Amino acid sequence: MKRRLPLIVVLVTAIVCMALKFLNLGERGTTLATDLDTIVQTSYLFAFLFGPIHLIRLHYSNVQKRRVNWAYSAFLVGVCAVCTVVFFINRIEGPVSTFIIDSITNATDSAIYAMLGFYVCSAAYRSFKLKNVEATILLIAAVILMLGQAPIGDAIIPNTSKFAQWILDVPNSAGMRGIRIGASIGAFAASIRVILGLERSWTGSGS
Amino acid sequence: MNMAQALVAQTTGIFAPEMTVDFIFVVILFATVFVVLQRARAGLSIPPIRKIPGLEAIDEAIGRSTEMGKPVHYSPGMSSFGPELYAGLATLSYVAKIAAQYDTKLIVTVRRPQVHPVAAEIVKQAYLEAGRPDAYNPDDIRYVSDWQFSYTAAVLGIIQREKPAANLMIGYWMAEALVLAEAGSEAGCIQIGANTNVFQIHFFIVACDYTLIGEELFAASAYLSKDPMLTGTVVAQDIMKILFGILIIIGTVWATIAGNADALIELLSR
């Protein structure tokens, strides 16, 4: 039953959701959709507890057993404790909470995001090596696009910007749409596997 | 009023606005899946799935980790429960079983707290099926952070500190895709990436050894399990793709002859 119940819940929910999406159920349909949304949000909040509990347990155990780099774990546990206390006392809109979110969390988040620029350079360096035909096509397309985006491109070779735009609009769009159509139908088929209970590894029932 | 318009006019009362044609497509897909599944159940032949190098390489990647005595890092992506995550979790089940058989440490990092217990249960079950429940370590299934770049920073740290020999990123990825793939590349990992996000796939293509593009991610569970019932749904998916391909060709010809395909677009938008 432990394995079967989630499958039944998924099947019933899928049927209800599809009926709400496709059928014209009027006011009652809208109310039911809102209620379903509330149920989903509430169950998410309960499930949210699992993650932080595991995180604290793991890092507390690292500190207790003095594992390698245990100091980082101690720092994490300390930060979690401080944030929990501050957010409870100061509330999420309070000045201290806002400072933590805006000036510490968002700032470090942005720093990690900014690293992307450096990684783009190293990835570009590796991928633009003339290893094979595909890499050569990628290199030529990238050079044309980069030249097309800069005013100097048209000065060196006339109409480079128009050709670059054509690459974006025609072959690039065609490829992206092909992938999107395939992925959408694939997602659809994967959902059917889950709804019909053919795909049940997510229940922890193995293969 | 032509036949299609008459059909639409009759059904607007039952169907939600602009959902009639969508409903027809859903019914066609369900019917196709049903027919193919019936064939699979009856033991009749169904078309095979083409070879997907990225999925073939999973065994090789775990084998390499075993030989080097290093762990395998696996992540089911950034999304919450949805098709991409289910595909990622199905692949995790396979990876965990192989890792258990080879006695290789498997580190799983998850972004969503609600995914953590599911991933832990999948890995535990896989170790049990492989006959090595004692080798399962719950501390290796790690929830790190719900924040996108905090997760990224944490996984970067794990890759740098624990130096896995294989980095498998099977799911839905956003801006962190390249950061993680480059970190794995610098750590010398054999990398397999899978993504359906068209704005990030190219990063995996340049940074990973193998990339599952778009729909290949969703075929993973069927491909790895070799179960004819699951394979049948992939065949049904390909039949639908052919149907959409025909629609695209009709639209292209229509637009070329008539100057636009507005009538077809309007019909499909009903």
mmCIF file of all heavy atoms in Angstrom, chain B residues 75-80 83-85 87-88 111-112 148 151 169-177 194-200 204 217-218:
data_model
loop_
_atom_site.group_PDB
_atom_site.id
_atom_site.type_symbol
_atom_site.label_atom_id
_atom_site.label_comp_id
_atom_site.label_asym_id
_atom_site.label_seq_id
_atom_site.Cartn_x
_atom_site.Cartn_y
_atom_site.Cartn_z
ATOM 1 N N SER B 75 23.222 14.530 -9.929
ATOM 2 C CA SER B 75 22.204 15.513 -9.553
ATOM 3 C C SER B 75 20.996 15.392 -10.491
ATOM 4 O O SER B 75 21.169 15.337 -11.706
ATOM 5 C CB SER B 75 22.763 16.925 -9.626
ATOM 6 O OG SER B 75 21.712 17.837 -9.386
ATOM 7 N N PRO B 76 19.785 15.326 -9.926
ATOM 8 C CA PRO B 76 18.594 15.235 -10.799
ATOM 9 C C PRO B 76 18.090 16.603 -11.263
ATOM 10 O O PRO B 76 16.937 16.727 -11.642
ATOM 11 C CB PRO B 76 17.574 14.528 -9.889
ATOM 12 C CG PRO B 76 17.955 14.916 -8.511
ATOM 13 C CD PRO B 76 19.438 15.196 -8.501
ATOM 14 N N GLY B 77 18.928 17.616 -11.204
ATOM 15 C CA GLY B 77 18.560 18.914 -11.775
ATOM 16 C C GLY B 77 17.933 19.866 -10.784
ATOM 17 O O GLY B 77 17.840 19.602 -9.589
ATOM 18 N N MET B 78 17.500 21.001 -11.333
ATOM 19 C CA MET B 78 17.062 22.118 -10.494
ATOM 20 C C MET B 78 15.545 22.186 -10.326
ATOM 21 O O MET B 78 15.049 22.963 -9.522
ATOM 22 C CB MET B 78 17.532 23.438 -11.119
ATOM 23 C CG MET B 78 19.010 23.512 -11.357
ATOM 24 S SD MET B 78 19.972 23.412 -9.845
ATOM 25 C CE MET B 78 19.885 25.115 -9.304
ATOM 26 N N SER B 79 14.816 21.430 -11.119
ATOM 27 C CA SER B 79 13.359 21.580 -11.100
ATOM 28 C C SER B 79 12.731 20.848 -9.920
ATOM 29 O O SER B 79 13.338 19.956 -9.327
ATOM 30 C CB SER B 79 12.754 21.047 -12.395
ATOM 31 O OG SER B 79 13.035 19.684 -12.530
ATOM 32 N N SER B 80 11.507 21.268 -9.609
ATOM 33 C CA SER B 80 10.737 20.528 -8.616
ATOM 34 C C SER B 80 10.011 19.397 -9.353
ATOM 35 O O SER B 80 10.325 19.119 -10.507
ATOM 36 C CB SER B 80 9.757 21.477 -7.938
ATOM 37 O OG SER B 80 9.147 20.833 -6.844
ATOM 38 N N PRO B 83 8.127 16.464 -15.241
ATOM 39 C CA PRO B 83 8.676 15.418 -16.113
ATOM 40 C C PRO B 83 10.196 15.291 -16.054
ATOM 41 O O PRO B 83 10.721 14.180 -16.013
ATOM 42 C CB PRO B 83 8.223 15.856 -17.510
ATOM 43 C CG PRO B 83 7.085 16.773 -17.296
ATOM 44 C CD PRO B 83 7.263 17.405 -15.970
ATOM 45 N N GLU B 84 10.899 16.420 -16.019
ATOM 46 C CA GLU B 84 12.372 16.365 -16.018
ATOM 47 C C GLU B 84 12.890 15.693 -14.744
ATOM 48 O O GLU B 84 13.823 14.891 -14.785
ATOM 49 C CB GLU B 84 12.982 17.769 -16.113
ATOM 50 C CG GLU B 84 12.903 18.386 -17.495
ATOM 51 C CD GLU B 84 11.683 19.263 -17.658
ATOM 52 O OE1 GLU B 84 10.810 19.249 -16.754
ATOM 53 O OE2 GLU B 84 11.578 19.951 -18.678
ATOM 54 N N LEU B 85 12.273 16.045 -13.609
ATOM 55 C CA LEU B 85 12.719 15.455 -12.344
ATOM 56 C C LEU B 85 12.418 13.953 -12.313
ATOM 57 O O LEU B 85 13.257 13.157 -11.875
ATOM 58 C CB LEU B 85 12.057 16.148 -11.153
ATOM 59 C CG LEU B 85 12.526 15.601 -9.804
ATOM 60 C CD1 LEU B 85 13.970 15.992 -9.519
ATOM 61 C CD2 LEU B 85 11.642 16.070 -8.675
ATOM 62 N N ALA B 87 12.302 11.983 -14.808
ATOM 63 C CA ALA B 87 13.298 11.337 -15.676
ATOM 64 C C ALA B 87 14.636 11.247 -14.946
ATOM 65 O O ALA B 87 15.327 10.216 -15.014
ATOM 66 C CB ALA B 87 13.443 12.129 -16.971
ATOM 67 N N GLY B 88 14.993 12.315 -14.240
ATOM 68 C CA GLY B 88 16.250 12.326 -13.482
ATOM 69 C C GLY B 88 16.256 11.283 -12.383
ATOM 70 O O GLY B 88 17.260 10.603 -12.157
ATOM 71 N N ARG B 111 18.451 20.008 -4.992
ATOM 72 C CA ARG B 111 18.176 21.416 -4.695
ATOM 73 C C ARG B 111 16.890 21.591 -3.903
ATOM 74 O O ARG B 111 16.794 22.439 -3.031
ATOM 75 C CB ARG B 111 18.086 22.191 -6.005
ATOM 76 C CG ARG B 111 17.786 23.649 -5.785
ATOM 77 C CD ARG B 111 17.359 24.322 -7.056
ATOM 78 N NE ARG B 111 16.942 25.686 -6.770
ATOM 79 C CZ ARG B 111 16.285 26.441 -7.603
ATOM 80 N NH1 ARG B 111 15.961 25.977 -8.788
ATOM 81 N NH2 ARG B 111 15.916 27.661 -7.295
ATOM 82 N N ARG B 112 15.877 20.782 -4.228
ATOM 83 C CA ARG B 112 14.566 20.969 -3.602
ATOM 84 C C ARG B 112 14.433 20.108 -2.350
ATOM 85 O O ARG B 112 14.682 18.895 -2.415
ATOM 86 C CB ARG B 112 13.457 20.585 -4.585
ATOM 87 C CG ARG B 112 13.512 21.335 -5.886
ATOM 88 C CD ARG B 112 13.047 22.741 -5.718
ATOM 89 N NE ARG B 112 13.049 23.431 -6.997
ATOM 90 C CZ ARG B 112 12.711 24.704 -7.129
ATOM 91 N NH1 ARG B 112 12.376 25.421 -6.081
ATOM 92 N NH2 ARG B 112 12.724 25.269 -8.308
ATOM 93 N N GLN B 148 19.210 28.969 -5.973
ATOM 94 C CA GLN B 148 19.900 28.478 -7.170
ATOM 95 C C GLN B 148 21.427 28.560 -7.064
ATOM 96 O O GLN B 148 22.122 27.560 -7.253
ATOM 97 C CB GLN B 148 19.418 29.287 -8.383
ATOM 98 C CG GLN B 148 19.995 28.805 -9.696
ATOM 99 C CD GLN B 148 19.588 29.707 -10.850
ATOM 100 O OE1 GLN B 148 18.979 30.763 -10.670
ATOM 101 N NE2 GLN B 148 19.918 29.292 -12.051
ATOM 102 N N TYR B 151 23.052 26.605 -4.141
ATOM 103 C CA TYR B 151 23.189 25.200 -4.538
ATOM 104 C C TYR B 151 24.436 25.040 -5.406
ATOM 105 O O TYR B 151 25.242 24.137 -5.204
ATOM 106 C CB TYR B 151 21.937 24.745 -5.301
ATOM 107 C CG TYR B 151 22.073 23.380 -5.923
ATOM 108 C CD1 TYR B 151 21.795 22.228 -5.205
ATOM 109 C CD2 TYR B 151 22.513 23.238 -7.242
ATOM 110 C CE1 TYR B 151 21.937 20.971 -5.778
ATOM 111 C CE2 TYR B 151 22.659 21.998 -7.817
ATOM 112 C CZ TYR B 151 22.378 20.871 -7.091
ATOM 113 O OH TYR B 151 22.542 19.634 -7.652
ATOM 114 N N MET B 169 24.742 14.888 -14.569
ATOM 115 C CA MET B 169 23.761 15.950 -14.322
ATOM 116 C C MET B 169 22.566 15.710 -15.234
ATOM 117 O O MET B 169 22.566 16.116 -16.398
ATOM 118 C CB MET B 169 24.396 17.310 -14.594
ATOM 119 C CG MET B 169 25.573 17.590 -13.678
ATOM 120 S SD MET B 169 26.329 19.185 -13.956
ATOM 121 C CE MET B 169 27.148 18.894 -15.496
ATOM 122 N N ILE B 170 21.593 15.006 -14.716
ATOM 123 C CA ILE B 170 20.475 14.546 -15.542
ATOM 124 C C ILE B 170 19.192 15.193 -15.047
ATOM 125 O O ILE B 170 18.630 14.775 -14.025
ATOM 126 C CB ILE B 170 20.332 12.993 -15.473
ATOM 127 C CG1 ILE B 170 21.685 12.293 -15.613
ATOM 128 C CG2 ILE B 170 19.303 12.472 -16.469
ATOM 129 C CD1 ILE B 170 22.287 12.271 -16.976
ATOM 130 N N GLY B 171 18.722 16.221 -15.740
ATOM 131 C CA GLY B 171 17.499 16.902 -15.305
ATOM 132 C C GLY B 171 17.309 18.212 -16.041
ATOM 133 O O GLY B 171 17.711 18.335 -17.196
ATOM 134 N N TYR B 172 16.751 19.180 -15.335
ATOM 135 C CA TYR B 172 16.527 20.498 -15.935
ATOM 136 C C TYR B 172 17.520 21.476 -15.322
ATOM 137 O O TYR B 172 17.613 21.576 -14.097
ATOM 138 C CB TYR B 172 15.089 20.961 -15.666
ATOM 139 C CG TYR B 172 14.766 22.305 -16.288
ATOM 140 C CD1 TYR B 172 14.385 22.381 -17.621
ATOM 141 C CD2 TYR B 172 14.852 23.479 -15.547
ATOM 142 C CE1 TYR B 172 14.093 23.606 -18.206
ATOM 143 C CE2 TYR B 172 14.568 24.709 -16.130
ATOM 144 C CZ TYR B 172 14.186 24.760 -17.457
ATOM 145 O OH TYR B 172 13.906 25.974 -18.028
ATOM 146 N N TRP B 173 18.237 22.189 -16.166
ATOM 147 C CA TRP B 173 19.289 23.088 -15.680
ATOM 148 C C TRP B 173 19.096 24.485 -16.221
ATOM 149 O O TRP B 173 18.616 24.663 -17.339
ATOM 150 C CB TRP B 173 20.665 22.555 -16.083
ATOM 151 C CG TRP B 173 20.910 21.222 -15.501
ATOM 152 C CD1 TRP B 173 20.622 20.017 -16.074
ATOM 153 C CD2 TRP B 173 21.411 20.928 -14.195
ATOM 154 N NE1 TRP B 173 20.932 18.999 -15.209
ATOM 155 C CE2 TRP B 173 21.420 19.532 -14.055
ATOM 156 C CE3 TRP B 173 21.871 21.712 -13.137
ATOM 157 C CZ2 TRP B 173 21.857 18.913 -12.894
ATOM 158 C CZ3 TRP B 173 22.306 21.091 -11.995
ATOM 159 C CH2 TRP B 173 22.300 19.702 -11.878
ATOM 160 N N MET B 174 19.534 25.440 -15.429
ATOM 161 C CA MET B 174 19.425 26.840 -15.861
ATOM 162 C C MET B 174 20.835 27.448 -15.933
ATOM 163 O O MET B 174 21.729 26.785 -16.411
ATOM 164 C CB MET B 174 18.495 27.578 -14.893
ATOM 165 C CG MET B 174 17.077 27.019 -14.950
ATOM 166 S SD MET B 174 15.944 27.766 -13.783
ATOM 167 C CE MET B 174 16.429 27.055 -12.245
ATOM 168 N N ALA B 175 20.995 28.662 -15.389
ATOM 169 C CA ALA B 175 22.273 29.374 -15.561
ATOM 170 C C ALA B 175 23.453 28.677 -14.897
ATOM 171 O O ALA B 175 24.607 28.953 -15.221
ATOM 172 C CB ALA B 175 22.135 30.789 -15.019
ATOM 173 N N GLU B 176 23.184 27.779 -13.958
ATOM 174 C CA GLU B 176 24.282 27.099 -13.256
ATOM 175 C C GLU B 176 24.891 25.978 -14.098
ATOM 176 O O GLU B 176 25.914 25.410 -13.713
ATOM 177 C CB GLU B 176 23.798 26.538 -11.908
ATOM 178 C CG GLU B 176 22.810 25.405 -11.978
ATOM 179 C CD GLU B 176 21.483 25.807 -12.553
ATOM 180 O OE1 GLU B 176 21.090 26.951 -12.328
ATOM 181 O OE2 GLU B 176 20.853 24.999 -13.247
ATOM 182 N N ALA B 177 24.246 25.644 -15.237
ATOM 183 C CA ALA B 177 24.680 24.499 -16.043
ATOM 184 C C ALA B 177 26.172 24.572 -16.376
ATOM 185 O O ALA B 177 26.923 23.622 -16.119
ATOM 186 C CB ALA B 177 23.850 24.428 -17.328
ATOM 187 N N ALA B 194 22.311 16.237 -19.179
ATOM 188 C CA ALA B 194 21.027 16.125 -19.886
ATOM 189 C C ALA B 194 20.221 17.362 -19.559
ATOM 190 O O ALA B 194 20.196 17.797 -18.398
ATOM 191 C CB ALA B 194 20.282 14.871 -19.445
ATOM 192 N N ASN B 195 19.585 17.934 -20.561
ATOM 193 C CA ASN B 195 18.833 19.162 -20.315
ATOM 194 C C ASN B 195 17.754 19.328 -21.383
ATOM 195 O O ASN B 195 17.914 18.875 -22.507
ATOM 196 C CB ASN B 195 19.789 20.365 -20.353
ATOM 197 C CG ASN B 195 19.245 21.557 -19.610
ATOM 198 O OD1 ASN B 195 18.105 21.549 -19.155
ATOM 199 N ND2 ASN B 195 20.044 22.588 -19.487
ATOM 200 N N THR B 196 16.672 19.994 -20.995
ATOM 201 C CA THR B 196 15.635 20.314 -21.982
ATOM 202 C C THR B 196 15.571 21.829 -22.206
ATOM 203 O O THR B 196 14.791 22.290 -23.031
ATOM 204 C CB THR B 196 14.242 19.835 -21.501
ATOM 205 O OG1 THR B 196 13.988 20.407 -20.214
ATOM 206 C CG2 THR B 196 14.156 18.337 -21.416
ATOM 207 N N ASN B 197 16.384 22.567 -21.462
ATOM 208 C CA ASN B 197 16.383 24.025 -21.577
ATOM 209 C C ASN B 197 17.238 24.429 -22.785
ATOM 210 O O ASN B 197 18.470 24.322 -22.748
ATOM 211 C CB ASN B 197 16.942 24.613 -20.276
ATOM 212 C CG ASN B 197 16.901 26.117 -20.244
ATOM 213 O OD1 ASN B 197 16.683 26.770 -21.263
ATOM 214 N ND2 ASN B 197 17.109 26.679 -19.079
ATOM 215 N N VAL B 198 16.573 24.915 -23.847
ATOM 216 C CA VAL B 198 17.303 25.201 -25.093
ATOM 217 C C VAL B 198 18.341 26.305 -24.938
ATOM 218 O O VAL B 198 19.255 26.419 -25.757
ATOM 219 C CB VAL B 198 16.344 25.563 -26.249
ATOM 220 C CG1 VAL B 198 15.611 24.357 -26.764
ATOM 221 C CG2 VAL B 198 15.373 26.657 -25.857
ATOM 222 N N PHE B 199 18.229 27.110 -23.902
ATOM 223 C CA PHE B 199 19.207 28.184 -23.710
ATOM 224 C C PHE B 199 20.463 27.700 -22.983
ATOM 225 O O PHE B 199 21.431 28.438 -22.846
ATOM 226 C CB PHE B 199 18.577 29.343 -22.925
ATOM 227 C CG PHE B 199 17.419 29.956 -23.662
ATOM 228 C CD1 PHE B 199 16.120 29.732 -23.246
ATOM 229 C CD2 PHE B 199 17.634 30.722 -24.795
ATOM 230 C CE1 PHE B 199 15.054 30.276 -23.939
ATOM 231 C CE2 PHE B 199 16.572 31.259 -25.491
ATOM 232 C CZ PHE B 199 15.272 31.045 -25.070
ATOM 233 N N GLN B 200 20.442 26.484 -22.483
ATOM 234 C CA GLN B 200 21.584 25.976 -21.717
ATOM 235 C C GLN B 200 22.208 24.706 -22.300
ATOM 236 O O GLN B 200 23.310 24.339 -21.905
ATOM 237 C CB GLN B 200 21.151 25.680 -20.264
ATOM 238 C CG GLN B 200 20.577 26.861 -19.522
ATOM 239 C CD GLN B 200 21.581 27.973 -19.272
ATOM 240 O OE1 GLN B 200 22.777 27.724 -19.184
ATOM 241 N NE2 GLN B 200 21.093 29.206 -19.182
ATOM 242 N N PHE B 204 26.278 22.457 -22.043
ATOM 243 C CA PHE B 204 26.583 21.053 -21.752
ATOM 244 C C PHE B 204 27.331 20.415 -22.924
ATOM 245 O O PHE B 204 28.231 19.617 -22.730
ATOM 246 C CB PHE B 204 25.296 20.267 -21.478
ATOM 247 C CG PHE B 204 24.845 20.305 -20.034
ATOM 248 C CD1 PHE B 204 23.594 19.833 -19.671
ATOM 249 C CD2 PHE B 204 25.667 20.791 -19.045
ATOM 250 C CE1 PHE B 204 23.169 19.867 -18.344
ATOM 251 C CE2 PHE B 204 25.258 20.838 -17.718
ATOM 252 C CZ PHE B 204 24.007 20.372 -17.377
ATOM 253 N N LEU B 217 16.410 12.868 -22.739
ATOM 254 C CA LEU B 217 16.295 12.782 -21.277
ATOM 255 C C LEU B 217 15.082 11.943 -20.877
ATOM 256 O O LEU B 217 15.167 11.109 -19.975
ATOM 257 C CB LEU B 217 16.183 14.202 -20.699
ATOM 258 C CG LEU B 217 15.720 14.358 -19.256
ATOM 259 C CD1 LEU B 217 16.738 13.776 -18.291
ATOM 260 C CD2 LEU B 217 15.512 15.832 -18.917
ATOM 261 N N PHE B 218 13.962 12.166 -21.580
ATOM 262 C CA PHE B 218 12.724 11.463 -21.211
ATOM 263 C C PHE B 218 12.726 10.000 -21.655
ATOM 264 O O PHE B 218 11.937 9.203 -21.158
ATOM 265 C CB PHE B 218 11.521 12.190 -21.811
ATOM 266 C CG PHE B 218 11.406 13.605 -21.336
ATOM 267 C CD1 PHE B 218 11.579 14.657 -22.196
ATOM 268 C CD2 PHE B 218 11.149 13.875 -20.003
ATOM 269 C CE1 PHE B 218 11.502 15.969 -21.755
ATOM 270 C CE2 PHE B 218 11.075 15.173 -19.548
ATOM 271 C CZ PHE B 218 11.247 16.225 -20.422
#
